[in-house]
Amino acid sequence: MPRRQYIADLKKAEEGVSIAGISHVQTGGDDGEFTFLCFANDKPYKFSALIPDVSDYPSGHMYMLIAPDDAPEPVASALSGIAESAFGKSIEQLLELTSRKLESTDDDGDHQMLNSQDVGMAEEDSDDDDVDDFFPDDDEIQKPFSMQPHTASTQGHVQTSSKFRSRIRSDLLSAKVSGFKVGHQSALLEGRGCYVSISCRIAKLGISEEAMQAWQVQPQEYLVVIISYPNGYKNMSDMEGYDVATARRYFGVKIGISTTYKPTLQEAVQAFTKLSKEEEMKREKELEEGQDGASQSQGVSMHKGFRNSFISRPLHDLLENRFPQLLKFRYNGMSWNGAEEFYHDSLGSHKPSNLGLEDKYMNAEVVSTAYPSIVTADHIADFWTGGEHSLPLVCMQFVLRHFVRCTEFCLICFRKMPDDLQAIKPYVCEQPLCLYQYMSLGFGPSIEHEIISQPKVVDLLVSFCYTSAVSNKLNDFPTGLSLMVPPSSAHQNDYASAQQHSYNNYPQSQNHPASQAPTGDAEVKPGTLKFNAATKEIMFDAPEAKCPFKAGDWLVIRTNDNRAKALHCRISETYFYPTSKVAEPVVPTTSQLTYQATVFPSKRTMAPAPATRAEQVENGFKQASFYMYDQNFDSLSVIHKREAIYALLDLLPSVDDMRQYLQRKKQSTLSSWVDRLSPAALGVLRWIIASNRACIMQVDDPNASGFGSQERLCGMSGWTQFRFAMGAPDKERRFVQAVRHTSNRLNLKHDTLFAWHGSPLHNWHGIIREGLHFKDTAHGRAFGHGVYHSLDVNTSLSYSNINGGAWGGGWPMSVLRVSQALALNEIVNAPKEFVSSNPHLVVAQLDWIQTRYLFVQTRNPDYTMPSAPNNATKEVVPTNPIPQDSSYTPRGVSGHLVIPRSAIPSHRGQESRTADQSAKRRKTATGTSFADPIELDIDDDGVSVATLEEDLFILNEDPLMPQPQTLHTGIITPTPSKGKGKANTGFFSKLIGSKSSTSPPAQTLTDYVPGKLDYSLLPMLVQPAWATPSATRRLMQDFKAVIASQNKTPLHELGWHIDEEKMENMYQWIVELHSFDSTLPLAQDMKKRGVTSVVLEMRFGKDYPMSPPFVRVIKPRFLGFQQGGGGHVTAGGALCMELLTNNGWSAVSTIESVLLQVRIAMSSIDPKPARLENASRADYGVGEAVEAYIRACNVHGWTVPDGFREMALGGAAPGFAYS
């Protein structure tokens, strides 16, 4: 048992240890605490050691070491490093480590030596050190031999020195000269917890505008990497000495997008705040809703501040779990590609250690030359033999590798995807486990966001998938998700017409998987029951039998008098089995429609409501059969997988219905519509949207005016238009390079031409995932191998309508009612170099083709614009069209095409500008859309300096001023503030002395003025009688750290203030929160009432830091939750936060992080923003705050700390109510 082992080890140490300079080991006053004497600087000092959680002993525990009051500063500072290095070590090992680090000596002056047993082991294993000790973090990973160019540092804490600051400056300057902006937050140069940010404008990364749209980023925004150093700055040499577990404690990375080059301190803290999956998805949903609002109101979705990118979550996992290990592989001589490949190849293998020396791991990676140098640069390879490597720079380059080139890697396992896969959005590889994790962990796009923001696109994707499945052409499936579906026999003859249609029109070859006999699909016999459609009840005839399902399961019911009608129901309750309740049945669309061979009816008759509430139903039980949703989709044959997909899609409501549901329930997801959407149907819908690797953006309504109408192409009256882009993020750059090269070589007047590509509907599901290629022959290749195009739309329409028919028309619940689809592509204007130019344009060079538009013909009159001859309203002709080659101008259904300039990237129209025009453009551009971007100088980040003075300051030579003098605890020496001649007589001034040498800048950006709070009106307490030495020492250390941070950070940036002059009781802190975001209702209320700060009180108990502090608002009064208030402030003024309870508290939490979390919570607008009371009532009393805190804990199921009332009431009796 852990506690037994701890007691035994402590008893052994108490009996005596043979460690130089260590003696008198004794049990402490608290659980897990012990003390010992240690010689340091020729003087004995009594140290205290505390294990916060003894249950983790002897392998997963941590130590807290506390120095005596009279210990010199170097000794006290060394303890944090010793504690970090002693993680998971036994008591004796801790004492040995302390002796060595403090250079303790025994009575004879001898230093502590290594344990003789350890020495013997070292000698015995010396031959294998280079191999076995190189990768200490993961036994499953094979360990190639080590060739370490740097010396690893194992010390957890680095003393601030000129050398230390010089290394920081060197590392950040390396990032600066490489083209990145650098910034920092908190105590970087002081060797304490801090954040470093490295950033680069999106516009410099070589990403196409279509990819930016798909990734929801703007060219003027920054990709920001935030590096957290919770225990002070660590360089590359330090990282080489850490295993993965240790690296996590010293080094963390988060990536995101920001409108500025670095995040605020609050944003940095929030980025590293761990949220549950539900909380994180909720935050992302709120962000998406905010972007939707901005997009609708301003035409652009710009989010202020720092936010996660579309790929942040998988990259965070990669950086946390693999990056430290991959660094070690790099220092074996591998490239990034070789290191990642070696990681995958050696995972769990038992191959020889020299596996890492194979050539495939050592070969240099071949990267597309289309990417700019800032993306492909490799700091480690470029400076292999000279100088130290910059860890922030290497980290940023690694992030760029996986951000810009994200489509080249699986989003889960990060293996390289096939080279021939061209996608504009990242996805997962063919491993079923990867797809399962991708969907279950929420790494894919939010289907709710897509449905709300682009309903036509979702409708289109579902229609394409439905047609592909019903036409026997679908070959990729959502395997690995463990979708539970009804057996094939449950569908009976529902889809006989569809299957007959597909077999007649799409014959399968003998070798095709679909033509083979089904496997694993044995006939499943139905069960029997009685069903009452009026009361939604089912009843079994054999009550003694076990209930075959549970609440939440789905089943298919067919009554004996109407077996053609399938009723899909969710079990809502089983309390009264053998009678159970079901939800409103969902009827497949095909059960309500009459199959029609060529024509679809109108929208109103073709998309009936799935439920049958309006029907007159008989109130009585009828005999029926049923099938459970109990077949694993993965075990079905290919034929039945296709059948299961289109059968599940038949159960979906229309996209409009789903959109209305989400708009009614703002905070809900589709998974909450439990009675209407089965988990299987929702899983298929999520897979369809997530697996889309193209960028499809719906063009505004044809009757719209303004900028949206200028996006529409003229010449295709009656067709719905979508902007369409496929290919890798660098595909546009490769296309532009091909255009420029060919244009210069042939001296072309018109660089490109536009042409049509038609394909049957059942092919488009595959096209938007794989891109255009000519690997498969569908209609013969009489004119050579390549992608076929035509200048006449009618020619391409004949190809798009091949094998067409009613069942090829798409999803029955579709609002668009798609019947045909065409792509309009831009092609390099070199017809003589095509495979063929007559009668078709056959292009073999895929880099010469770029998709621009997708056109779909819809049979819904609400979405169709009549042809020009019958329409009084003519098409809107773009005012700024693209000039076209008269010999190769494509023709549409209503004349020659007039293509708007916005169809091609904006930079293509800028190449011919003069210098004066470009300069004028930079001054007048707004950056509010891709058509009006802010142009950036090529070397914008490389030559510019950091915007903020604090970041300039850190790059200067020897920037840190001499450290302020620190006085030892207990020495009362009033020290006048510089230039004021005023003695600091407060408790904290007696503790640490003057604060003048580190005071923050005089200039402030806030209306808050320190020192205005009248403490005589506050409920001040005296030192409690139950105060303990351990709690007091920890509070004094925390207070020092908090005030040090306060004295060096500008007021407006910090957001809180503590007046150390008024501190007399370590167990009661008064904190003022101020400088809230002016857009918050709380800040506006404070301004109206002339209030500049929210006054908080923090009370600490004798068990601190094992128990959380009690935090409450003293004034002003907030609106309670019942009155429409928020901000996590209860009616009694207590903070309603799990962090401040036993459930969420951690003994290693810092007070600075607690204050930031409280400020973030108070600034939260979810579910409602904080507001102040209108009435002028007295300040909150501590009694009402205590009761409110306990009520909040009871409501949320949180644990109230032991002895809470005594602590919160300042030591008063439990029945006393302090007011």
Side-chain angles (χ1 to χ4, degrees):
M1 298 292 289
R3 180 172 295 276
R4 184 178 302 172
Q5 182 68 47
Y6 164 75
I7 294 174
D9 287 355
L10 181 57
K11 184 177 180 181
K12 181 180 177 181
E14 288 176 338
E15 293 173 354
V17 291
S18 301
I19 302 174
I22 303 293
S23 62
H24 295 85
V25 181
Q26 296 177 347
T27 303
D30 296 328
D31 183 41
E33 183 183 17
F34 60 92
T35 63
F36 59 91
L37 284 180
C38 178
F39 270 84
N41 293 351
D42 299 325
K43 182 180 178 181
Y45 295 97
K46 186 177 181 179
F47 295 93
S48 294
L50 175 67
I51 301 177
D53 192 350
V54 178
S55 63
D56 291 335
Y57 192 88
S59 58
H61 62 288
M62 61 173 290
Y63 288 98
M64 294 174 57
L65 295 178
I66 303 172
D69 296 341
D70 58 345
E73 177 62 24
V75 173
S77 299
L79 292 187
S80 61
I82 296 173
E84 292 289 347
S85 301
F87 179 84
K89 296 186 181 297
S90 66
I91 293 175
E92 184 175 2
Q93 290 173 324
L94 166 71
L95 298 176
E96 289 179 351
L97 183 63
T98 304
S99 176
R100 289 201 304 271
K101 294 295 184 182
L102 299 182
E103 299 183 350
S104 295
T105 59
D106 56 21
D107 295 338
D108 299 326
D110 296 328
H111 291 272
Q112 173 65 20
M113 303 299 289
L114 286 174
N115 185 292
S116 60
Q117 190 176 13
D118 295 338
V119 174
M121 292 176 63
E123 292 175 353
E124 181 180 348
D125 298 338
S126 61
D127 294 338
D128 299 326
D129 280 349
D130 287 343
V131 177
D132 297 334
D133 294 338
F134 191 75
F135 304 112
D137 66 308
D138 192 345
D139 292 335
E140 295 182 349
I141 303 297
Q142 279 299 318
K143 306 168 183 179
F145 80 94
S146 168
M147 46 183 188
Q148 301 180 2
H150 303 298
T151 302
S153 170
T154 60
Q155 188 172 354
H157 176 77
V158 180
Q159 294 290 335
T160 57
S161 63
S162 178
K163 182 179 179 181
F164 172 74
R165 297 191 295 274
S166 177
R167 178 59 191 268
I168 294 176
R169 189 164 54 251
S170 173
D171 286 353
L172 298 187
L173 282 173
S174 295
K176 188 69 180 173
V177 299
S178 297
F180 302 105
K181 284 187 176 292
V182 298
H184 82 287
Q185 294 286 5
S186 201
L188 174 60
L189 294 181
E190 287 81 355
R192 292 187 281 114
C194 61
Y195 301 94
V196 169
S197 63
I198 310 294
S199 60
C200 180
R201 278 195 188 271
I202 297 294
K204 295 184 62 177
L205 301 181
I207 303 172
S208 67
E209 292 182 3
E210 291 80 7
M212 292 185 198
Q213 288 179 316
W215 299 357
Q216 297 180 352
V217 296
Q218 298 286 338
Q220 64 269 31
E221 291 182 313
Y222 286 89
L223 172 66
V224 182
V225 171
I226 311 175
I227 305 175
S228 169
Y229 299 99
N231 298 286
Y233 183 80
K234 299 294 183 288
N235 57 43
M236 186 69 80
S237 300
D238 298 321
M239 283 292 292
E240 288 181 63
Y242 299 150
D243 57 28
V244 172
T246 305
R248 289 194 191 114
R249 298 201 301 271
Y250 290 128
F251 177 85
V253 183
K254 298 293 182 184
I255 74 163
I257 306 297
S258 180
T259 51
T260 60
Y261 76 95
K262 78 171 189 177
T264 64
L265 179 59
Q266 181 174 335
E267 289 171 337
V269 171
Q270 192 168 11
F272 286 89
T273 301
K274 289 190 178 296
L275 300 174
S276 66
K277 178 183 175 183
E278 292 75 16
E279 290 172 331
E280 187 167 354
M281 295 182 71
K282 189 175 183 180
R283 179 186 291 180
E284 291 175 356
K285 183 177 177 64
E286 290 172 351
L287 174 60
E288 289 165 354
E289 290 174 353
Q291 289 177 336
D292 291 340
S295 178
Q296 294 170 9
S297 61
Q298 302 173 11
V300 61
S301 55
M302 285 288 290
H303 178 272
K304 301 297 182 183
F306 182 85
R307 71 181 190 276
N308 275 343
S309 74
F310 74 106
I311 198 178
S312 287
R313 293 183 64 195
L315 282 189
H316 291 164
D317 183 71
L318 174 68
L319 289 162
E320 180 179 1
N321 296 317
R322 298 189 190 177
F323 179 65
Q325 186 68 56
L326 295 175
L327 279 179
K328 297 179 184 296
F329 295 163
R330 286 303 313 271
Y331 284 117
N332 269 268
M334 302 180 190
S335 63
W336 283 122
N337 186 67
E340 292 171 344
E341 189 174 357
F342 175 78
Y343 181 95
H344 294 297
D345 290 350
S346 59
L347 187 65
S349 71
H350 299 284
K351 296 180 181 180
S353 297
N354 61 4
L355 174 67
L357 297 178
E358 295 182 15
D359 290 343
K360 66 175 183 177
Y361 305 124
M362 301 298 177
N363 292 335
E365 183 177 11
V366 179
V367 183
S368 171
T369 56
Y371 288 116
S373 59
I374 197 170
V375 175
T376 58
D378 187 347
H379 182 54
I380 294 179
D382 295 342
F383 297 92
W384 179 255
T385 59
E388 299 280 356
H389 294 143
S390 167
L391 178 59
L393 174 57
V394 171
C395 183
M396 181 63 175
Q397 290 178 343
F398 181 75
V399 168
L400 284 181
R401 166 183 171 82
H402 284 279
F403 182 86
V404 178
R405 300 167 55 194
C406 61
T407 59
E408 298 180 25
F409 303 92
C410 171
L411 272 181
I412 300 298
C413 68
F414 289 96
R415 286 183 170 90
K416 288 293 288 287
M417 301 288 275
D419 292 337
D420 59 350
L421 179 64
Q422 294 292 315
I424 204 168
K425 294 179 181 178
Y427 193 49
V428 293
C429 63
E430 297 179 352
Q431 296 292 328
L433 182 59
C434 290
L435 179 59
Y436 173 78
Q437 291 181 327
Y438 176 76
M439 303 292 280
S440 62
L441 297 179
F443 285 168
S446 165
I447 61 173
E448 291 79 14
H449 174 62
E450 297 295 323
I451 289 172
I452 291 175
S453 61
Q454 295 210 88
K456 286 186 186 178
V457 175
V458 175
D459 192 309
L460 190 69
L461 295 176
V462 176
S463 297
F464 284 161
C465 180
Y466 185 95
T467 306
S468 181
V470 82
S471 303
N472 266 334
K473 293 295 183 179
L474 185 66
N475 291 311
D476 59 317
F477 302 101
T479 54
L481 299 182
S482 298
L483 299 178
M484 302 309 293
V485 300
S488 178
S489 51
H491 304 304
Q492 297 189 3
N493 295 322
D494 291 348
Y495 301 100
S497 298
Q499 292 166 353
Q500 186 62 46
H501 176 83
S502 64
Y503 292 147
N504 292 340
N505 290 279
Y506 312 105
Q508 303 291 342
S509 66
Q510 292 297 319
N511 296 326
H512 195 279
S515 65
Q516 300 171 7
T519 59
D521 300 343
E523 183 73 17
V524 178
K525 294 184 178 180
T528 59
L529 50 74
K530 294 178 180 178
F531 176 61
N532 188 330
T535 62
K536 309 298 183 297
E537 291 180 313
I538 57 177
M539 183 171 62
F540 290 86
D541 295 329
E544 69 280 357
K546 182 181 178 181
C547 182
F549 43 68
K550 63 182 183 298
D553 287 346
W554 281 70
L555 72 162
V556 185
I557 299 175
R558 292 180 187 267
T559 57
N560 291 352
D561 62 343
N562 187 6
R563 302 194 63 80
K565 186 175 183 179
L567 306 174
H568 294 250
C569 311
R570 176 181 179 271
I571 303 296
S572 57
E573 64 176 53
T574 60
Y575 299 123
F576 304 103
Y577 179 81
T579 300
S580 300
K581 296 279 290 184
V582 298
E584 185 72 30
V586 180
V587 181
T589 311
T590 50
S591 297
Q592 306 174 65
L593 303 175
T594 302
Y595 173 73
Q596 300 182 15
T598 55
V599 180
F600 287 97
S602 68
K603 173 185 175 183
R604 294 176 180 83
T605 59
M606 193 58 194
T612 57
R613 291 189 175 92
E615 299 179 8
Q616 293 293 329
V617 293
E618 181 181 348
N619 188 355
F621 283 92
K622 296 181 179 181
Q623 287 292 335
S625 60
F626 77 96
Y627 294 89
M628 295 295 301
Y629 276 52
D630 58 1
Q631 296 292 302
N632 192 324
F633 178 87
D634 297 352
S635 66
L636 300 178
S637 66
V638 172
I639 290 178
H640 289 146
K641 282 181 179 178
R642 292 170 180 156
E643 181 185 49
I645 285 180
Y646 58 71
L648 289 171
L649 295 181
D650 267 339
L651 296 170
L652 289 178
S654 69
V655 176
D656 280 354
D657 288 343
M658 290 187 280
R659 189 167 187 254
Q660 291 171 12
Y661 173 84
L662 294 171
Q663 289 175 334
R664 288 196 310 268
K665 300 180 177 293
K666 292 291 186 180
Q667 299 299 326
S668 299
T669 61
L670 283 179
S671 58
S672 63
W673 202 358
V674 292
D675 292 340
R676 181 62 184 85
L677 291 169
S678 69
L682 186 60
V684 171
L685 176 63
R686 190 181 300 276
W687 167 74
I688 291 172
I689 296 175
S691 61
N692 169 36
R693 301 171 197 173
C695 178
I696 306 175
M697 307 289 289
Q698 61 194 44
V699 178
D700 287 344
D701 188 89
N703 298 320
S705 59
F707 178 77
S709 63
Q710 292 300 310
E711 290 275 339
R712 293 185 61 82
L713 175 148
C714 181
M716 286 297 289
S717 177
W719 287 67
T720 303
Q721 303 183 14
F722 297 86
R723 292 296 307 274
F724 185 39
M726 297 187 298
D730 67 326
K731 177 66 164 61
E732 180 68 36
R733 184 177 285 265
R734 285 186 274 122
F735 174 73
V736 171
Q737 288 178 348
V739 169
R740 290 173 179 170
H741 175 74
T742 307
S743 179
N744 293 335
R745 179 167 52 86
L746 302 180
N747 194 24
L748 298 176
K749 179 180 180 181
H750 300 283
D751 298 340
T752 62
L753 58 87
F754 289 83
W756 296 103
H757 175 78
S759 189
L761 273 181
H762 58 251
N763 286 339
W764 283 100
H765 176 82
I767 290 175
I768 62 178
R769 283 155 178 78
E770 301 175 9
L772 290 173
H773 56 73
F774 47 92
K775 293 184 292 185
D776 301 324
T777 302
H779 312 302
R781 293 180 179 170
F783 299 96
H785 293 283
V787 180
Y788 279 61
H789 294 82
S790 176
L791 294 174
D792 190 341
V793 69
N794 293 311
T795 303
S796 294
L797 282 175
S798 64
Y799 283 89
S800 70
N801 202 34
I802 291 178
N803 292 331
W807 282 100
W811 177 40
M813 291 303 294
S814 171
V815 176
L816 288 176
R817 313 297 324 132
V818 179
S819 60
Q820 283 183 291
L822 295 168
L824 182 68
N825 300 335
E826 186 179 11
I827 310 171
V828 175
N829 190 9
K832 294 182 180 179
E833 299 182 16
F834 296 167
V835 175
S836 173
S837 58
N838 187 31
H840 305 292
L841 304 179
V842 184
V843 185
Q845 303 95 324
L846 294 182
D847 281 349
W848 284 24
I849 306 170
Q850 190 72 328
T851 55
R852 297 302 182 195
Y853 278 91
L854 177 65
F855 293 85
V856 296
Q857 189 174 49
T858 170
R859 294 181 177 176
N860 183 341
D862 293 349
Y863 282 87
T864 301
M865 185 174 177
S867 301
N870 302 321
N871 185 22
T873 304
K874 295 183 179 180
E875 290 184 276
V876 177
V877 179
T879 57
N880 186 21
I882 298 174
Q884 299 186 59
D885 190 334
S886 58
S887 301
Y888 292 95
T889 301
R891 292 175 295 278
V893 295
S894 52
H896 285 91
L897 298 187
V898 181
I899 304 171
R901 177 75 63 178
S902 59
I904 62 175
S906 56
H907 63 81
R908 293 264 301 278
Q910 302 166 6
E911 297 174 355
S912 60
R913 288 186 190 150
T914 65
D916 291 341
Q917 289 173 325
S918 297
K920 181 180 179 180
R921 175 65 180 167
R922 281 193 290 273
K923 293 180 180 179
T924 59
T926 64
T928 56
S929 71
F930 287 99
D932 191 27
I934 299 175
E935 295 182 25
L936 305 172
D937 294 331
I938 295 177
D939 57 353
D940 172 64
D941 287 314
V943 300
S944 65
V945 295
T947 304
L948 299 181
E949 185 177 349
E950 62 196 53
D951 295 324
L952 282 175
F953 171 81
I954 210 164
L955 296 175
N956 291 337
E957 282 296 324
D958 204 64
L960 199 62
M961 298 297 291
Q963 296 293 322
Q965 182 182 6
T966 302
L967 303 181
H968 304 314
T969 303
I971 303 177
I972 304 176
T973 309
T975 306
S977 298
K978 184 176 181 181
K980 294 184 179 180
K982 177 183 177 181
N984 296 330
T985 57
F987 175 84
F988 188 72
S989 297
K990 300 172 185 177
L991 187 67
I992 63 169
S994 172
K995 65 176 181 178
S996 60
S997 60
T998 57
S999 59
Q1003 185 178 2
T1004 180
L1005 300 177
T1006 177
D1007 58 356
Y1008 172 76
V1009 179
K1012 298 294 186 181
L1013 182 63
D1014 188 352
Y1015 276 67
S1016 66
L1017 302 177
L1018 303 181
M1020 305 305 294
L1021 305 177
V1022 297
Q1023 182 93 353
W1026 39 254
T1028 60
S1030 59
T1032 302
R1033 283 194 295 268
R1034 172 60 185 267
L1035 284 169
M1036 291 167 68
Q1037 291 177 350
D1038 288 349
F1039 203 39
K1040 286 182 181 181
V1042 165
I1043 297 303
S1045 177
Q1046 176 176 289
N1047 287 341
K1048 67 174 293 293
T1049 308
L1051 272 176
H1052 69 277
E1053 190 173 305
L1054 190 62
W1056 49 263
H1057 182 264
I1058 300 175
D1059 191 346
E1060 65 266 38
E1061 301 293 328
K1062 304 293 186 180
M1063 275 298 295
E1064 297 293 343
N1065 177 7
M1066 271 288 107
Y1067 289 80
Q1068 182 192 32
W1069 298 12
I1070 302 298
V1071 185
E1072 294 181 84
L1073 301 184
H1074 57 81
S1075 305
F1076 290 95
D1077 186 341
S1078 60
T1079 61
L1080 290 174
L1082 173 61
Q1084 296 166 5
D1085 287 352
M1086 291 172 65
K1087 190 174 183 65
K1088 290 178 183 177
R1089 292 162 176 73
V1091 177
T1092 59
S1093 68
V1094 175
V1095 182
L1096 297 182
E1097 179 187 28
M1098 302 180 72
R1099 296 190 179 188
F1100 301 86
K1102 61 183 179 181
D1103 295 324
Y1104 180 81
M1106 306 310 299
S1107 292
F1110 174 50
V1111 183
R1112 73 179 186 98
V1113 176
I1114 297 179
K1115 63 178 183 180
R1117 279 189 173 266
F1118 285 65
L1119 278 180
F1121 299 144
Q1122 299 297 329
Q1123 289 75 43
H1128 297 261
V1129 180
T1130 65
L1135 269 295
C1136 181
M1137 297 174 62
E1138 186 178 11
L1139 170 71
L1140 301 176
T1141 69
N1142 279 0
N1143 300 73
W1145 178 254
S1146 171
V1148 298
S1149 298
T1150 65
I1151 298 301
E1152 184 173 2
S1153 68
V1154 171
L1155 291 176
L1156 285 170
Q1157 295 275 21
V1158 169
R1159 195 173 191 278
I1160 290 171
M1162 202 171 287
S1163 302
S1164 172
I1165 59 174
D1166 177 32
K1168 296 178 181 178
R1171 302 299 299 266
L1172 298 185
E1173 272 192 357
N1174 291 322
S1176 179
R1177 290 202 289 163
D1179 299 345
Y1180 288 109
V1182 68
E1184 60 179 317
V1186 168
E1187 297 303 324
Y1189 174 85
I1190 294 175
R1191 284 197 304 271
C1193 289
N1194 292 336
V1195 168
H1196 294 285
W1198 299 332
T1199 304
V1200 178
D1202 294 336
F1204 168 73
R1205 284 185 178 272
E1206 181 186 10
M1207 176 269 289
L1209 297 174
F1216 175 77
Y1218 195 102
S1219 60

